[in-house]
Amino acid sequence: MFLPTTREEMNNLGWKSLDVIIVTGDTYIDSPYIGAAVIGKTLFNAGYKVGIIAQPDINSETDITRLGEPDLFWGVTGGSVDSMVANYTPLKKPRKSDDFTPGGENNRRPDRAVIAYCNLIRRFFKETKPLVIGGIEASLRRIAHYDYWDNKIRRPILFDAKADVLIYGMGETAVTELALCFRENMDFKNVRGICYASKEIPRSDYLQLPSYDDVVSDKLKFIDMFNIFYQNNDPLTAKGLYQKNDIRYLIQNPPAALRTGENLDRVFEYGYEYDVHPYYKKDGHVKALETIKFSITTHRGCYGECNFCAIAVHQGRTICERSVESILHEAEKLVKLDGFKGYILDAGGPTANMYGIECDKKIKFGACKNKRCLYPEKCKQLDINHKKQVTLLKKLREITGIKKVFVASGIRHDMIMSDQTCRDEYLRELLEHHVSGQLKIAPEHTENQVLCMMGKPGKKPLVEFRMLFMKFNKEVGDKRQFLTYYLIAAHPGSTELEMRKMQEFVSRELKIKPEQVQIFTPTPSTYSTLMYYTEMDPFTKKKIFVEKNPGKKDAQKRIITG
């Protein structure tokens, strides 16, 4: 069922009021790909009455007052994408389209949506129930952070939004515990995976971050702050954190425990409609649905730890995978949906080929503090074997009604080359059955100086993978399948010289003129953004080159694309 978004729907359910009202910057798509839907269904299945208000008009009371006032709390999220990323290009030009808005026109998501929606609620509900913020926008802005669009250090978003609680990361466990605390009038301040404001310093085992005033005035302290923050995101090893902001402290409790496979399976059994709610569907086509309606999430988390990516501090560095049975069950449901034409458009996660591959040591003791799984080279403790994903893909395509299952989310080509057991079988399997013309890989750059800043492997595995791809592509029938390379221009450390070298390399070795080139966007809570702001290598504190001129950023991109 859809969660109600109108009074009429509440009346049909016999609900006079709601326990929780979720306000979101996306339209309401009832899908396990959409955070507001997942949190709403999690609470509903825990026995709470939940409604959703999607993309409310911030200049009117009409939308925000439609469902009344919740009995427990408001849940506020900017949506599936940080609102500033959704609204502006890397060169800060307004985006015209929004894939999560009916009709596709980018006219429904306000800048700094979390703050805007919290202000909207308080404008029309003066003394209201607690405001709980979450989702990617809140999660990645939970401590003092550099904001590219303001070009300054902003306070933790909890303070600017005047919210009561912030849930960070994948919030199903934290939101359920928090709801129980509100319902039973219990103290919520020990719930893991949340942040809150306090005038008191927490217990002695919490670590102090440099204050907001300190990080604004001293870039070295900003680096120190981020290093402490980054190293305390693993549920098995993390300490609680606190940071002074004026006369109050931002308190961050340790992360919520990782969901087990069984618990994650349950999230995908909540009875999603895999469609846009009728109240919003009448306003036009929602482009995001084209991709997510017939796609399957196989796992969460990523241990790639690319410096420009925030997945490590949002979903975590440990893979949490669904069972094969759960994935097959979802596929069987998709086959029965209206509009299904036999194609699963994606079976994957943040990195598709991390399914079924994880370090036993990390699962028991947590992520290593000063060591990465794949950079500068694969850790010896990580046993890469793609057999489990091969088995899953074979079972998926055996389901009656499925013609083909694509692996459309990106893969790590260096992981494939490191697989000494199943490398050839896995790549053959992909090329013969699971590629739709193009296989996506993301080398991002080719020059060592920039790759080092990105936390990405060198050119050797890329060249070797391309040769293997071409060899197996011919062996499975030369289906005119190609590699698509994602590349980044103007990343910290990159000059026009590095871009010219990359252009020469991709032309000579990859035989392509790349089209998938994006200009680096500094987003909160990544090491690359830290480099962009400080113009220093955060690991050595040495000065690095950072291109900040918009015209010269665009020039770097044009060197590759022409």
Side-chain angles (χ1 to χ4, degrees):
M1 62 169 276
F2 285 107
L3 297 173
T5 192
T6 66
R7 277 285 185 179
E8 182 181 2
E9 293 169 87
M10 287 174 58
N11 294 336
N12 291 339
L13 292 168
W15 294 357
K16 294 182 179 180
S17 63
L18 297 166
D19 295 314
V20 180
I21 297 176
I22 296 174
V23 182
T24 174
D26 298 333
T27 196
Y28 175 20
I29 306 173
D30 198 57
S31 162
Y33 272 88
I34 303 299
V38 170
I39 294 300
K41 287 297 181 72
T42 296
L43 289 167
F44 175 75
N45 281 272
Y48 298 93
K49 293 175 290 184
V50 185
I52 291 183
I53 298 174
Q55 299 183 313
D57 180 359
I58 62 170
N59 298 309
S60 165
E61 65 181 291
T62 303
D63 292 325
I64 201 64
T65 61
R66 189 169 67 232
L67 300 180
E69 191 172 11
D71 295 331
L72 296 180
F73 66 90
W74 297 87
V76 178
T77 172
S80 302
V81 184
D82 183 286
S83 59
M84 300 306 287
V85 175
N87 289 348
Y88 298 94
T89 70
L91 298 180
K92 300 184 181 180
K93 296 178 180 178
R95 294 188 192 273
K96 296 180 179 179
S97 62
D98 187 333
D99 289 353
F100 294 91
T101 295
E105 186 178 355
N106 189 13
N107 60 358
R108 298 287 297 176
R109 192 193 310 267
D111 289 355
R112 310 197 185 283
V114 170
I115 297 172
Y117 294 152
C118 287
N119 289 340
L120 178 66
I121 292 167
R122 294 205 183 278
R123 190 187 320 156
F124 295 106
F125 298 95
K126 299 300 183 184
E127 298 294 330
T128 190
K129 298 297 181 179
L131 271 60
V132 178
I133 60 177
I136 193 81
E137 183 168 327
S139 181
L140 301 185
R141 296 173 179 270
R142 60 188 186 262
I143 63 170
H145 56 279
Y146 171 71
D147 184 89
Y148 172 60
W149 298 271
D150 278 353
N151 192 29
K152 70 177 186 180
I153 304 298
R154 290 183 68 100
R155 298 191 304 167
I157 193 171
L158 185 83
F159 293 103
D160 285 344
K162 297 182 176 61
D164 298 281
V165 183
L166 183 154
I167 294 176
Y168 68 89
M170 310 304 281
E172 299 99 339
T173 301
V175 78
T176 306
E177 293 180 8
L178 192 64
L180 178 63
C181 289
F182 287 143
R183 187 177 69 185
E184 303 299 328
N185 292 316
M186 299 188 299
D187 185 4
F188 65 83
K189 293 181 180 177
N190 289 322
V191 172
R192 294 177 66 108
I194 70 167
C195 300
Y196 61 92
S198 174
K199 292 183 179 180
E200 306 294 330
I201 295 175
R203 59 181 193 257
S204 60
D205 60 337
Y206 276 44
L207 301 177
Q208 183 173 9
L209 298 174
S211 72
Y212 170 74
D213 288 340
D214 285 343
V215 300
V216 167
S217 62
D218 188 336
K219 290 184 177 181
L220 288 173
K221 288 185 178 179
F222 187 77
I223 291 174
D224 292 340
M225 177 205 71
F226 190 81
N227 282 330
I228 297 170
F229 166 75
Y230 188 87
Q231 294 296 342
N232 283 276
N233 276 282
D234 187 280
L236 296 179
T237 62
K239 298 281 190 181
L241 306 174
Y242 65 99
Q243 181 179 48
K244 189 174 184 182
N245 288 262
D246 297 326
I247 62 171
R248 293 186 296 169
Y249 294 90
L250 184 282
I251 313 296
Q252 175 179 299
N253 288 349
L258 283 173
R259 301 184 73 84
T260 63
E262 181 181 347
N263 286 336
L264 187 57
D265 287 352
R266 195 175 302 129
V267 171
F268 291 84
E269 296 293 334
Y270 284 155
Y272 300 96
E273 295 290 334
Y274 296 92
D275 206 348
V276 178
H277 189 287
Y279 182 84
Y280 301 101
K281 195 171 186 177
K282 61 180 172 29
D283 294 332
H285 177 67
V286 179
K287 187 174 178 60
L289 198 63
E290 296 175 8
T291 305
I292 66 176
K293 183 170 183 175
F294 299 119
S295 294
I296 298 174
T297 298
T298 59
H299 61 283
R300 291 177 176 174
C302 181
Y303 45 78
E305 293 191 79
C306 301
N307 286 334
F308 49 81
C309 180
I311 290 174
V313 298
H314 186 65
Q315 290 196 18
R317 297 160 62 186
T318 302
I319 300 300
C320 182
E321 65 188 53
R322 296 170 63 187
S323 68
V324 172
E325 292 73 23
S326 172
I327 295 168
L328 296 179
H329 186 221
E330 184 176 9
E332 290 167 351
K333 287 192 291 186
L334 297 185
V335 168
K336 298 175 183 177
L337 293 178
D338 289 342
F340 184 73
K341 297 180 180 179
Y343 301 99
I344 301 294
L345 300 183
D346 185 32
T351 301
N353 61 322
M354 286 185 184
Y355 180 80
I357 303 174
E358 189 45 283
C359 170
D360 292 337
K361 181 180 177 183
K362 191 204 300 182
I363 292 172
K364 292 178 181 177
F365 303 110
C368 296
K369 186 175 182 180
N370 294 309
K371 190 175 184 181
R372 298 189 176 189
C373 297
L374 296 175
Y375 179 81
E377 56 187 18
K378 182 189 78 68
C379 176
K380 295 178 181 179
Q381 295 285 340
L382 182 65
D383 180 20
I384 295 180
N385 185 336
H386 290 84
K387 188 63 180 179
K388 189 169 183 178
Q389 193 186 21
V390 169
T391 300
L392 169 65
L393 293 172
K394 286 181 177 179
K395 289 185 176 182
L396 279 169
R397 67 174 186 263
E398 289 172 358
I399 294 174
T400 301
I402 290 181
K403 298 177 182 177
K404 197 156 187 175
V405 179
F406 297 117
V407 177
S409 45
I411 62 170
R412 288 284 300 229
H413 59 277
D414 53 322
M415 285 182 61
I416 295 177
M417 299 310 297
S418 295
D419 185 347
Q420 300 301 310
T421 304
C422 194
R423 182 193 72 181
D424 292 2
E425 181 184 3
Y426 178 63
L427 189 51
R428 287 177 187 272
E429 187 78 9
L430 284 182
L431 294 178
E432 191 165 1
H433 300 289
H434 304 289
V435 175
S436 176
Q438 298 178 335
L439 179 63
K440 300 175 184 176
I441 61 173
E444 310 297 4
H445 215 283
T446 62
E447 302 311 299
N448 289 336
Q449 176 180 330
V450 184
L451 290 170
C452 180
M453 296 294 99
M454 292 178 165
K456 297 287 287 188
K459 290 179 279 196
K460 183 179 178 183
L462 175 61
V463 174
E464 291 176 345
F465 178 78
R466 178 181 176 274
M467 296 298 292
L468 197 63
F469 174 91
M470 293 174 64
K471 174 178 181 289
F472 288 163
N473 197 34
K474 289 183 178 180
E475 290 181 5
V476 299
D478 196 7
K479 298 183 177 184
R480 295 189 60 79
Q481 296 176 154
F482 305 94
L483 286 171
T484 297
Y485 305 88
Y486 286 91
L487 303 171
I488 294 178
H491 186 278
S494 175
T495 69
E496 290 190 9
L497 176 60
E498 277 75 38
M499 298 305 292
R500 290 192 197 96
K501 289 181 178 179
M502 179 160 68
Q503 193 279 328
E504 293 170 1
F505 176 87
V506 298
S507 177
R508 181 182 68 252
E509 299 291 340
L510 306 183
K511 316 293 185 190
I512 61 165
K513 181 179 179 180
E515 297 179 356
Q516 301 293 340
V517 181
Q518 64 182 44
I519 296 171
F520 169 69
T521 302
T523 55
S525 293
T526 72
Y527 268 113
S528 294
T529 299
L530 184 64
M531 297 175 199
Y532 183 90
Y533 169 65
T534 63
E535 300 180 38
M536 286 184 275
D537 181 332
F539 308 106
T540 65
K541 308 289 178 69
K542 293 181 179 179
K543 186 173 178 60
I544 60 173
F545 174 78
V546 176
E547 184 58 78
K548 295 189 175 181
N549 181 287
K552 292 183 178 181
K553 290 181 184 181
D554 192 47
Q556 285 202 24
K557 177 179 178 178
R558 284 187 280 108
I559 288 172
I560 300 295
T561 62

